[in-house]
Amino acid sequence: MPVPVPRQRAIPAVEGGQARAASRIGATAGTASTPGASAAQAPTSAMRNAGEPAGSTSLSLLVIEDDPAGSLSVPELLDSAGKPIRVRTARNLTEAERLLTDDVHCILLDLALPAPGRAVEGDDELATLKHVLRLAPRHAVLALTASGDAERGAEAVRVGAQDYLFRDELDGRLLSRAIRYAVERKRSDTAERKLAEGRVRAQENRRLHRGLLPTPLLEGSSLRFAARYRPGRSRALLGGDFYDTVRTPDGTVHAMIGDVCGHGPDEAALGVELRIAWRALTLAGLCGDELLGTLQQVLEHERDNDEIFATLCTVDIAPDGRRAGLCLAGHPTPLISRAGRVAELLPYESGGPALGLLPNARWPRRQVELGGAWSLMLYTDGLIEGHIGAGKERLGQEGMVDMVRRQLAKGLSGEELLTAAVNEVRDLNGGELTDDVAVLLLERRL
């Protein structure tokens, strides 16, 4: 039976197709409904999610109580802005489910209401509450219990209710405040839960991305390795740039760096696939044109459309460390610094096209003399395409070479050199770079 409501209280028609429920409440309270009221006439602003701020619309309360004697009397209720709190009533859980629309902010549940299918005494006394919590996980819930039964009320809060009230202590001021408190607490709990879930997802993503970044396989090699990686996407940990370094059983050190066109998660995933394929093919003994041709097949099968391509630079360093083979697939040529000589770019002649552009393309392998002590820096175009100041001028390869020369003159090497280079490029750009940046450094010291 509907909850008796004081005669002087005006109850607005229930929105969202619940006009019949509103009419029943109004008849019980002795109030008149507006003739012809319909769902189409209801203001759309009243249809709010229970998690929205209470001040955005007047609050709505759903009372679930089946006392035929009508011993529960809901007093005059006002929200913090002085607006009447709308009330709906349900005599059982089936009716409550029908009345539980998105514009309901809070539920007042009588814990004495029998649970669905409850047949014997001694069943879970809070089964009804648990059922309502499952039915309305996004709504605030107030538990109503007998006077003095604080233990049951506290247990209701532990189960999931926002607060509990005693039946015979209800008054308008207390209930109005309890409703507002419950709605705010529910919203706070929801926000805290979402924040915790976001942190867990962020931790999982970080672990995943760390796992996708390569671990160099250089055991037994005297070469020193360093790398820096900075994705261009905001809040991303992985971009379309990729790199790797492995040492094969014959003592040759293989290094590569590449860049998938684009900056989204699909490009990042494709970059990881190409890196893993490169490592597997390299460890299987492929090198040069044969390796790049196979990688192009992988790219063609894995890309979303025919316009996706990838640039690549591969280097294989002989076991004695004095010479290397170089293959370029549309990628910037490496920077080499030798003892007693200024840093310079390796020759770009005989480079091939980017992977995925031309069928049956070829990628010649060029022999390069490294000498005794040297450092070789492989990089993606994100390092050279940043702007210089507020204008349209870009750093370019020549600007990068000059920058690295200055840093080498200061005695920087290894990790310090890469960190200084990436930071200076970012500073010259006037802020974070929009493109992914990957830099790899191999050094041989005598």
Side-chain angles (χ1 to χ4, degrees), residues 256-306:
M256 73 90 172
I257 197 164
D259 181 3
V260 177
C261 67
H263 308 288
D266 291 339
E267 289 76 13
L270 183 56
V272 171
E273 291 180 275
L274 292 175
R275 180 187 68 78
I276 294 174
W278 176 88
R279 175 175 284 202
L281 294 171
T282 299
L283 293 175
L286 274 67
C287 185
D289 183 72
E290 185 180 12
L291 185 149
L292 292 176
T294 307
L295 282 181
Q296 174 157 286
Q297 294 180 36
V298 174
L299 172 65
E300 291 171 345
H301 284 89
E302 296 297 330
R303 64 186 177 183
D304 291 336
N305 61 74
D306 293 342

Side-chain angles (χ1 to χ4, degrees), residues 303-380:
R303 64 186 177 183
D304 291 336
N305 61 74
D306 293 342
E307 296 181 358
I308 299 297
F309 64 90
T311 66
L312 197 71
C313 169
T314 67
V315 176
D316 55 278
I317 302 171
D320 63 6
R322 303 187 65 88
R323 62 189 184 280
L326 171 66
C327 286
L328 297 173
H331 199 88
T333 187
L335 175 69
I336 187 169
S337 174
R338 302 180 179 92
R341 299 170 60 179
V342 296
E344 61 182 351
L345 297 173
L346 290 177
Y348 188 79
E349 292 83 356
S350 302
L355 303 181
L357 289 183
L358 299 175
N360 304 316
R362 303 300 299 271
W363 296 271
R365 177 176 175 273
R366 180 186 180 90
Q367 189 75 14
V368 178
E369 293 298 325
L370 301 178
W374 50 263
S375 66
L376 189 65
M377 190 175 83
L378 285 63
Y379 53 93
T380 58

